[in-house]
Amino acid sequence: MLSTELSSVYQTFTDAAGVLGNLFAFGLYLSPMSTFNRIIRNRSTEQFSGMPYIYGLMNCLICCWYGMPIVKSGIILVATVNSVGTVFQLVYLSIFISYAERAIKIRMLALLIAVFVIFASIVFVSLSCFDYNGRQFFVGYLSIASLIFMYGSPLIVINLVIKTKSVEFMPFNLSFATFLVSFSFTTYGVFKMDPFLYMPNGIGTLLALVQLILYCHYNNSSKEDTEEEEEPLIAEYP
């Protein structure tokens, strides 16, 4: 009796972590909206990078495949969140490519085609060359790699943040949403005892935390610099 109740509570916490991960992920998918509103308004991608969305699309496709019952049963919440993410990434990439300069446009289109070719190859190999258990390991290791690349891709912008001492091109909402999603799915992976979930998401949690720390540091520095610049004006015009 007690064992059944503990099992029920355990399952409840597991499902809660997965559902929260889905909800936070929806917020993550919406977080670039302000960035793309700016791109559409200015009709330019400026210094924004499209690589996080390429990595995001590749990650969503692979993780969606990993969450399918034919690959790994019992983690359908992984498939649902990544199927929605795939749609969002495609929309964002379409907008980015539309307003990018010609050279960037060509490169991004080539990368987009490469993503679909690689994913189709993964599906083909996993179905034709592996049994059920082997398929889990094959796609699982690929999901680890794709998650780490996705969570690490915003680090490309960190060099720009440190160089310019400005967080203009590293939106806080994106970093914060990434932290919430990665933490939720780390917890979900721990409850499911699935290292292919908790290992990469744990790394993602740490990387997102680094971004948040940098944001707070350089955001505060920017405010201090602004105040210092304003002080002579106050002294000159009492």
Side-chain angles (χ1 to χ4, degrees):
M1 181 68 177
L2 180 60
S3 176
T4 303
E5 290 179 355
L6 288 175
S7 178
S8 178
V9 171
Y10 186 88
Q11 186 61 46
T12 299
F13 277 109
T14 302
D15 292 341
V19 171
L20 283 174
N22 273 253
L23 293 175
F24 290 144
F26 192 73
L28 173 63
Y29 299 145
L30 290 175
S31 61
M33 289 289 288
S34 59
T35 297
F36 282 92
N37 283 335
R38 172 173 170 171
I39 288 174
I40 294 171
R41 184 174 64 251
N42 296 335
R43 304 185 68 81
S44 170
T45 57
E46 302 179 52
Q47 296 186 62
F48 290 110
S49 172
M51 290 308 296
Y53 308 102
I54 289 290
Y55 290 137
L57 177 62
M58 186 78 257
N59 172 72
C60 285
L61 288 170
I62 293 175
C63 290
C64 182
W65 182 234
Y66 179 68
M68 291 294 189
I70 195 172
V71 177
K72 177 69 180 287
S73 61
I75 55 169
I76 194 65
L77 289 173
V78 173
T80 57
V81 68
N82 284 287
S83 60
V84 173
T86 297
V87 175
F88 273 95
Q89 301 303 329
L90 285 172
V91 170
Y92 291 143
L93 282 167
S94 298
I95 296 172
F96 189 92
I97 291 171
S98 297
Y99 292 101
E101 295 177 359
R102 179 177 173 79
I104 298 175
K105 191 192 298 285
I106 294 173
R107 187 177 68 195
M108 293 298 292
L109 281 171
L111 288 170
L112 186 59
I113 293 171
V115 164
F116 284 113
V117 170
I118 292 171
F119 177 66
S121 301
I122 290 171
V123 172
F124 176 77
V125 171
S126 62
L127 290 176
S128 60
C129 300
F130 296 97
D131 59 12
Y132 181 75
N133 291 329
R135 198 176 300 131
Q136 286 183 36
F137 282 97
F138 175 68
V139 182
Y141 280 117
L142 289 174
S143 69
I144 286 180
S146 66
L147 277 165
I148 291 175
F149 272 117
M150 187 197 72
Y151 286 134
S153 61
L155 296 177
I156 297 171
V157 186
I158 284 181
N159 184 49
L160 181 63
V161 171
I162 295 173
K163 183 178 180 180
T164 62
K165 299 186 185 303
S166 170
V167 293
E168 182 181 6
F169 296 102
M170 189 175 73
F172 173 80
N173 290 344
L174 183 60
S175 299
F176 185 60
T178 300
F179 174 79
L180 292 176
V181 172
S182 57
F183 181 76
S184 296
F185 277 103
T186 298
T187 306
Y188 183 69
V190 169
F191 281 132
K192 286 288 187 179
M193 293 180 286
D194 188 338
F196 295 125
L197 289 178
Y198 66 70
M199 286 178 59
N201 281 290
I203 293 171
T205 301
L206 293 176
L207 291 175
L209 188 60
V210 169
Q211 293 172 45
L212 290 173
I213 291 171
L214 281 173
Y215 184 92
C216 292
H217 174 72
Y218 285 107
N219 191 46
N220 290 335
S221 297
S222 298
K223 290 179 179 178
E224 289 174 3
D225 291 342
T226 302
E227 289 173 359
E228 288 177 1
E229 290 174 0
E230 290 176 349
E231 284 178 1
L233 295 176
I234 296 173
E236 188 176 350
Y237 299 102

